[in-house]
Amino acid sequence: MSNAQPIWLPALQLFGYTDASVVELEYNSEGIDLGLLKKEMAAGGVKMVYLTPNFANPTGNTISYEHRIEIAKLSQQYQVVIIEDDPYGHLRFSGSPVPSIFSIAQSLFGKDHNVCYMSSFSKIFSPGLRLGWLAVPEHFHMAAVIAKQALDLHTSTLNQSIAAHYLESGRINERVEMLKATYKDRRDYLMQALHEYMGNDMTWNTPSGGMFLWCHLAENIDASQLLQECIKENVVFVPGEVFFAHNPQKNSLRLSYSMLTADNAQEAAIRIARALKKLK
């Protein structure tokens, strides 16, 4: 089975619009394979490295502190821009928070580093606002402003005002704590239901935060075919193959637990198991 790192689907779509040549690197329990990353950077031609360091979509993986330090150093050594996409970082419900690559680079190299950090209110406040934030080194400020103006001129001032008032109210911390407790329960509901009804037919990760389980079926089972059977059972998921630029894992799939209750997690597992029996 390929160890290539799947990536957030909209990011792949965006890179496709820019005619970027996407290279997927293998990963391990601590994050991206640093040897391969260094090899690619040293060969030249790398314009940017895109990473989701906390509870990545779709895998739920988190990059370790030690790997983040090395990534920051490689970025500086080879003058490669790192895009640190962190929409899920506030949704940690076990373990200790890990400093961002941006903050690590800033502490190591001051204002002249090459890491750009971005996050979103979509996961901790309201998805409908379509509002996020960006932190970049000073030498990237004007380029970021010009790019933003070219894309959509500017973000809705009404939405920005709503977010600003909410932050000023001080309620965001209470909401994040509620979300963390809720998502932990929902993750556990789903894993318990899968364990009960899927048995050895499916394996999955145990993320420390975020919203997703990254799952694998037997290698001879195509998750896209399983999806067609699941649709007949009125339950859906995202086949893992759509998260790969190359060499997709056909037997992988992403399950989201963000909206589950104990009852519908159990019902979902029952229906997926029933659909899977039709393919075996």
Side-chain angles (χ1 to χ4, degrees):
M1 181 183 296
S2 168
N3 286 322
Q5 173 74 63
I7 188 175
W8 186 47
L9 175 59
L12 276 179
Q13 295 170 328
L14 177 61
F15 299 153
Y17 291 145
T18 65
D19 292 326
S21 177
V22 178
V23 176
E24 299 165 334
L25 296 185
E26 294 182 4
Y27 64 95
N28 53 39
S29 60
E30 290 194 280
I32 194 168
D33 187 311
L34 295 176
L36 291 176
L37 180 61
K38 182 174 182 177
K39 181 179 178 181
E40 290 289 340
M41 287 185 176
V46 177
K47 300 295 185 182
M48 182 189 79
V49 176
Y50 174 82
L51 299 169
T52 307
N54 295 306
F55 325 122
N57 183 356
T59 64
N61 287 351
T62 294
I63 299 174
S64 71
Y65 177 60
E66 292 75 18
H67 273 217
R68 296 181 192 213
I69 293 173
E70 293 306 313
I71 290 167
K73 290 180 177 178
L74 288 172
S75 168
Q76 195 72 10
Q77 180 179 353
Y78 294 103
Q79 289 298 294
V80 172
V81 176
I82 303 292
I83 302 298
E84 183 178 15
D85 190 6
D86 188 28
Y88 312 104
H90 291 284
L91 301 178
R92 172 180 287 278
F93 38 72
S94 62
S96 301
V98 186
S100 66
I101 304 171
F102 180 91
S103 65
I104 291 170
Q106 199 168 47
S107 66
L108 290 174
F109 308 112
K111 64 180 182 179
D112 295 325
H113 64 87
N114 296 296
V115 181
C116 301
Y117 177 93
M118 58 185 182
S119 190
S120 172
F121 287 106
S122 293
K123 306 300 184 288
I124 59 173
F125 179 25
S126 171
L129 284 180
R130 313 311 301 161
L131 189 64
W133 66 90
L134 178 69
V136 301
E138 186 175 346
H139 54 282
F140 288 150
H141 279 184
M142 187 52 64
V145 168
I146 292 172
K148 175 63 173 173
Q149 290 175 338
L151 287 171
D152 61 7
L153 194 58
H154 65 83
T155 299
S156 164
T157 51
L158 174 60
N159 290 0
Q160 292 182 72
S161 180
I162 291 170
H165 280 284
Y166 187 72
L167 291 174
E168 289 170 358
S169 76
R171 291 184 289 162
I172 188 68
N173 291 333
E174 180 182 350
R175 176 169 175 79
V176 168
E177 291 304 312
M178 178 273 291
L179 288 173
K180 291 192 294 185
T182 300
Y183 287 152
K184 181 181 185 301
D185 287 344
R186 293 177 178 180
R187 179 203 65 176
D188 293 345
Y189 295 151
L190 181 57
M191 292 196 302
Q192 182 177 349
L194 292 175
H195 179 75
E196 182 174 355
Y197 294 101
M198 299 300 297
N200 296 323
D201 290 330
M202 181 184 289
T203 59
W204 55 88
N205 63 331
T206 303
S208 299
M211 301 177 169
F212 311 107
L213 294 188
W214 182 238
C215 308
H216 288 89
L217 305 163
E219 290 198 27
N220 64 321
I221 301 294
D222 188 324
S224 293
Q225 293 178 8
L226 175 61
L227 175 61
Q228 297 309 308
E229 296 298 330
C230 283
I231 290 173
K232 299 174 186 177
E233 299 283 349
N234 292 314
V235 61
V236 294
F237 57 80
V238 182
E241 65 178 292
V242 303
F243 296 102
F244 292 84
H246 316 286
N247 305 315
Q249 295 175 358
K250 293 283 190 176
N251 66 326
S252 63
L253 59 144
R254 190 200 74 181
L255 298 178
S256 173
Y257 49 80
S258 63
M259 298 296 290
L260 291 181
T261 63
D263 289 341
N264 60 27
Q266 185 176 55
E267 184 63 28
I270 291 171
R271 296 184 187 193
I272 294 172
R274 193 159 59 213
L276 182 59
K277 286 182 180 179
K278 299 176 183 178
L279 297 181
K280 295 175 67 176

